């Protein structure tokens, strides 16, 4: 039993190469599927991810069902992912090629329909993200963009912008001054 669990049936180099190649193929597939796939996963997206892991399993492990072979594959995936993340952090051009650029989906309170169609982003998804981030509607947004990592970044129009720490500090100072004035009036 221990022998079967620990004996790798295919060469370790082949297992590592298989894992790296499958990783690369999956990266390309996700890159081609676009940012919207990362923005908000719906039921269909989850089904694809679950099935995808099963589909590529044999491509990674080959005819090797050993515990040690699985550990080599898992270690290879984690290592390759860490190396790719470090590479992308260090090389802006590589990040742009592999991750892409932000896509503007709201400009001056108006939805950019062409970008929405290209991304496969539904109006309801966009409106919900705007409500969550601003508490308002699309008309109160100066600019909205779908980032390469799938996050929707919303910049409210100036009158709708959220208060900064400096704004809060100024209000606190004004309230303190008003309280002091009121205390002075009560003493008279």
């Amino acid at each position: 039993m221990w022998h079967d669990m620990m004996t790798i049936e295919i060469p370790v180099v082949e297992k590592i190469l298989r894992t790296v190649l499958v990783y690369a193929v999956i990266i390309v597939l996700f890159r081609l599927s676009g940012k919207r796939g990362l923005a908000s996963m719906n039921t269909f997206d989850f089904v694809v991810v679950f099935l995808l892991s099963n589909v590529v399993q044999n491509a990674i492990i080959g005819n090797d069902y050993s515990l040690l072979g699985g550990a080599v594959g898992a270690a290879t995936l984690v290592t390759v992912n860490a190396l790719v993340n470090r590479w992308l952090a260090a090389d802006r051009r590589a990040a742009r090629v592999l991750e892409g650029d932000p896509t503007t989906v709201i400009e001056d309170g108006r939805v950019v329909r062409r970008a929405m169609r290209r991304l496969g982003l539904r109006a309801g998804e966009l409106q919900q993200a705007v409500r969550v981030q601003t508490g308002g509607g699309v008309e109160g947004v100066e600019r909205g963009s779908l980032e390469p990592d799938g996050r929707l970044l919303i910049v409210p129009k100036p009158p709708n912008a959220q208060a900064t720490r400096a704004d809060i500090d100024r209000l606190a100072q004004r309230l303190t001054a008003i309280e002091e004035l009121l205390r002075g009036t009560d003493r008279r």
Side-chain angles (χ1 to χ4, degrees):
M1 172 175 90
W2 285 105
H3 180 267
D4 290 341
M5 287 190 343
M6 297 301 175
T7 304
I8 298 177
E9 300 293 323
I10 63 174
V12 173
V13 173
E14 180 182 338
K15 181 162 289 293
I16 291 170
L17 186 59
R18 284 171 168 268
T19 304
V20 169
L21 290 174
V22 168
Y23 180 89
V25 167
I26 299 297
I27 292 291
V28 169
L29 289 174
F30 273 103
R31 179 68 174 101
L32 292 175
S33 71
K35 291 176 267 206
R36 188 245 160 247
L38 300 172
S40 58
M41 293 181 71
N42 59 31
T43 305
F44 305 110
D45 299 327
F46 278 116
V47 169
V48 168
V49 169
F50 289 136
L51 292 176
L52 188 60
S53 64
N54 193 40
V55 167
V56 300
Q57 176 185 355
N58 290 339
I60 290 176
I61 66 170
N63 293 329
D64 182 6
Y65 299 103
S66 69
L67 177 65
L68 197 54
V72 168
T76 301
L77 272 176
V78 170
T79 302
V80 168
N81 191 56
L83 291 172
V84 168
N85 283 327
R86 282 174 178 73
W87 176 41
L88 295 178
D91 186 346
R92 184 172 277 154
R93 286 184 308 204
R96 186 170 181 223
V97 169
L98 292 179
E99 294 177 335
D101 293 317
T103 303
T104 300
V105 292
I106 302 172
E107 189 70 55
D108 195 28
R110 292 191 182 102
V111 174
V112 181
R113 301 269 180 223
R114 185 175 181 190
M116 295 280 290
R117 278 192 304 274
R118 192 175 74 246
L119 293 168
L121 193 60
R122 295 189 310 260
E125 292 173 311
L126 183 64
Q127 291 165 354
Q128 194 253 349
V130 170
R131 272 193 311 277
V132 166
Q133 290 187 43
T134 69
V138 172
E139 61 283 346
V141 174
E142 183 176 312
R143 185 172 187 279
S145 62
L146 189 61
E147 298 297 306
D149 64 0
R151 288 178 298 132
L152 190 60
L153 181 65
I154 302 294
V155 177
K157 288 182 179 178
N160 298 326
Q162 296 180 1
T164 65
R165 184 67 203 170
D167 295 333
I168 294 169
D169 290 342
R170 276 193 301 278
L171 283 175
Q173 289 170 353
R174 290 179 71 186
L175 283 173
T176 301
I178 292 170
E179 288 172 346
E180 288 175 9
L181 286 172
L182 289 173
R183 274 190 228 119
T185 313
D186 289 342
R187 291 184 194 143
R188 294 182 195 173

